[in-house]
């Protein structure tokens, strides 16, 4: 599919949004959103905490992605990114579970607990890795950050609003396979078309 007739920021935002929204389904941070919703029962501060934590975390991840892209030769970067997308595709097939330590929060409020918990839960998570990879492939940087943040919100806001009742209805296995297919397609796209 030829995307060249769309502005670069539209493509970067759309691909980043879709990729992260799919990857987030059934992810550890989505389980964390469910836990926070059940504990605090205050969806607005939880949603604002998710927004702030994701913006901070994904901005750092995207910036790191641009550093990697600037440091490596385009041909080397092409294969590193393609292999990384393929690795994330395989990683996506593995269901996430919350670590024991991630269920303990201070009583400082839903917003602070969510911001801190989400920021740290995202470190090394597949959606953060995806943000790094998307930043090596798409420009402008702000569009990647906006897209990945919107993707996180698309996956987590319904969980924060509807809590435990919504989680039972998610087809997590199907979502993992679709997300893995998206990452595999991105790996193939980069391998064929290259970076940029």
């Amino acid at each position: 599919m030829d995307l060249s007739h769309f502005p670069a920021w539209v493509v970067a935002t759309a691909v980043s949004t879709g990729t992260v929204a799919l990857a987030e389904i059934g992810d550890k941070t989505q389980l964390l959103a469910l836990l926070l919703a059940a504990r605090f029962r205050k969806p607005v501060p939880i949603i604002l905490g998710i927004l702030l934590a994701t913006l901070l975390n994904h901005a750092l991840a995207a910036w790191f992605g641009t550093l990697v892209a600037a440091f490596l030769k385009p041909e080397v970067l092409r294969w590193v990114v393609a292999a990384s997308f393929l690795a994330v595709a395989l990683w996506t097939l593995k269901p996430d579970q919350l670590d024991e330590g991630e269920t303990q929060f201070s009583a400082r409020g839903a917003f602070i607990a969510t911001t801190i918990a989400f920021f740290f839960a995202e470190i090394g998570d597949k959606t953060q890795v995806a943000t790094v990879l998307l930043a090596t492939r798409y420009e402008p940087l702000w569009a990647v950050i906006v897209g990945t943040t919107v993707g996180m919100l698309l996956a987590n806001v319904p969980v924060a609003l509807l809590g435990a009742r919504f989680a039972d209805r998610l087809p997590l296995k199907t979502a993992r396979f679709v997300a893995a297919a998206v990452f595999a397609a991105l790996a193939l796209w980069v391998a064929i078309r290259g970076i940029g």
Side-chain angles (χ1 to χ4, degrees):
M1 179 178 178
D2 183 21
L3 302 175
S4 62
H5 59 281
F6 292 103
W9 70 269
V10 171
V11 174
T13 303
V15 170
S16 298
T17 299
T19 300
V20 168
L22 283 171
E24 182 64 9
I25 302 296
D27 191 67
K28 171 176 54 176
T29 45
Q30 192 175 52
L31 297 174
L32 180 60
L34 180 62
L35 177 70
L36 290 163
R39 170 152 186 202
F40 291 108
R41 300 184 190 278
K42 296 177 182 177
V44 173
I46 291 169
I47 292 166
L48 292 175
I50 292 168
L51 172 64
L52 179 59
T54 303
L55 278 172
L56 294 172
N57 190 291
H58 287 199
L60 289 170
W63 173 74
F64 179 74
T66 60
L67 287 179
V68 169
F71 191 67
L72 296 176
K73 293 179 181 177
E75 196 57 34
V76 172
L77 182 62
R78 171 188 197 168
W79 295 110
V80 167
V81 171
S84 298
F85 271 133
L86 189 57
V88 173
L90 296 172
W91 184 10
T92 300
L93 294 173
K94 180 186 175 294
D96 273 336
Q97 296 176 348
L98 283 175
D99 298 329
E100 285 298 315
E102 293 180 61
T103 60
Q104 304 300 318
F105 303 106
S106 69
R108 299 180 116 188
F111 174 74
I112 293 171
T114 302
T115 302
I116 293 168
F118 253 78
F119 182 86
F120 286 108
E122 267 296 288
I123 294 174
D125 198 47
K126 63 182 160 261
T127 49
Q128 185 192 46
V129 173
T131 301
V132 171
L133 297 173
L134 289 162
T136 66
R137 173 70 176 89
Y138 294 99
E139 292 181 353
L141 185 63
W142 65 264
V144 172
I145 297 165
V146 167
T148 60
T149 301
V150 169
M152 287 288 286
L153 292 173
L154 285 174
N156 288 301
V157 167
V159 173
L161 292 174
L162 301 176
R165 288 178 287 152
F166 183 73
D168 295 337
R169 298 181 186 165
L170 281 174
L172 298 180
K173 188 173 184 179
T174 302
R176 278 195 308 274
F177 282 114
V178 170
V182 168
F183 282 113
L186 285 170
L188 184 62
W189 176 271
V190 170
I192 292 170
R193 302 279 305 237
I195 301 292

